[in-house]
Amino acid sequence: MTLIEEKLQKATFKHIEAELYQYPHTVTEIKKRRLELLHPYLEEVDENQGKGVNSVRSISRPTEQMATRLTMDKRLRNLEEIAEAIESVYNDLEDRQKDFIRLRYWSGRQNASPVKIALATDVSERTVHNYRRKIVEAIGKEIGWF
């Protein structure tokens, strides 16, 4: 493995960890984005332009339009892909590993030390490091980044 590939792996690892830290915000952002797509802001159209109301008819299929907006939005698809990968890996973990994720990434304490996490989850510090590596790699594989 070359030095460039090694740095890329470290960068990918850090990126996946950043996504783990952001997961609660990502779930909120998905809900917000879906609402924006389902209920877009529409300016009032002036219908008084010299034409009768029946002179121009457009076929309206609101359900299809909403489904198309939801499936075609790249931002929403990306957020959902990452959230689904995290949820999938999280749901397959043991209880101690789930505790690790909650303490390390979702507790709001960004720099919880491995020693504190080890004490809280009743495992060794080395096990905490192994959890971190294995969980991040599993999420990366689920997303397709590894």
Side-chain angles (χ1 to χ4, degrees):
M1 193 180 314
T2 66
L3 186 61
I4 294 173
E5 290 173 320
E6 210 170 288
K7 286 189 178 191
L8 179 63
Q9 286 182 350
K10 285 182 182 179
T12 304
F13 189 93
K14 293 291 185 186
H15 183 84
I16 293 167
E17 269 200 315
E19 294 294 349
L20 266 168
Y21 281 116
Q22 283 297 114
Y23 173 76
H25 303 290
T26 301
V27 171
T28 304
E29 186 65 25
I30 289 170
K31 291 176 185 173
K32 181 180 169 188
R33 186 69 186 143
R34 283 178 157 276
L35 283 173
E36 288 172 354
L37 292 169
L38 291 173
H39 308 287
Y41 173 74
L42 300 173
E43 288 189 27
E44 287 188 36
V45 179
D46 184 12
E47 293 180 12
N48 190 11
Q49 297 177 354
K51 300 177 184 175
V53 176
N54 292 329
S55 64
V56 178
R57 291 182 184 237
S58 62
I59 298 172
S60 174
R61 295 183 174 161
T63 305
E64 290 176 10
Q65 290 173 348
M66 282 188 253
T68 301
R69 279 197 300 266
L70 289 173
T71 57
M72 299 300 290
D73 189 72
K74 287 182 182 182
R75 178 169 165 70
L76 179 62
R77 282 195 328 242
N78 185 35
L79 291 171
E80 287 176 335
E81 179 183 7
I82 290 167
E84 287 169 5
I86 291 171
E87 289 165 5
S88 173
V89 169
Y90 181 82
N91 290 333
D92 291 341
L93 296 175
E94 299 169 1
D95 289 338
R96 285 186 179 176
Q97 292 170 322
K98 288 179 180 180
D99 291 342
F100 162 75
I101 286 183
R102 285 191 298 270
L103 288 169
R104 168 88 183 190
Y105 299 107
W106 301 338
S107 69
R109 289 177 262 148
Q110 291 289 337
N111 294 321
S113 73
V115 175
K116 289 180 182 176
I117 294 171
L119 288 172
T121 57
D122 198 29
V123 296
S124 71
E125 187 178 347
R126 184 73 211 141
T127 302
V128 168
H129 290 290
N130 287 336
Y131 284 172
R132 176 179 175 237
R133 182 181 48 78
K134 288 178 182 178
I135 290 168
V136 169
E137 286 177 359
I139 292 169
K141 286 178 185 172
E142 188 75 25
I143 296 173
W145 291 352
F146 273 110

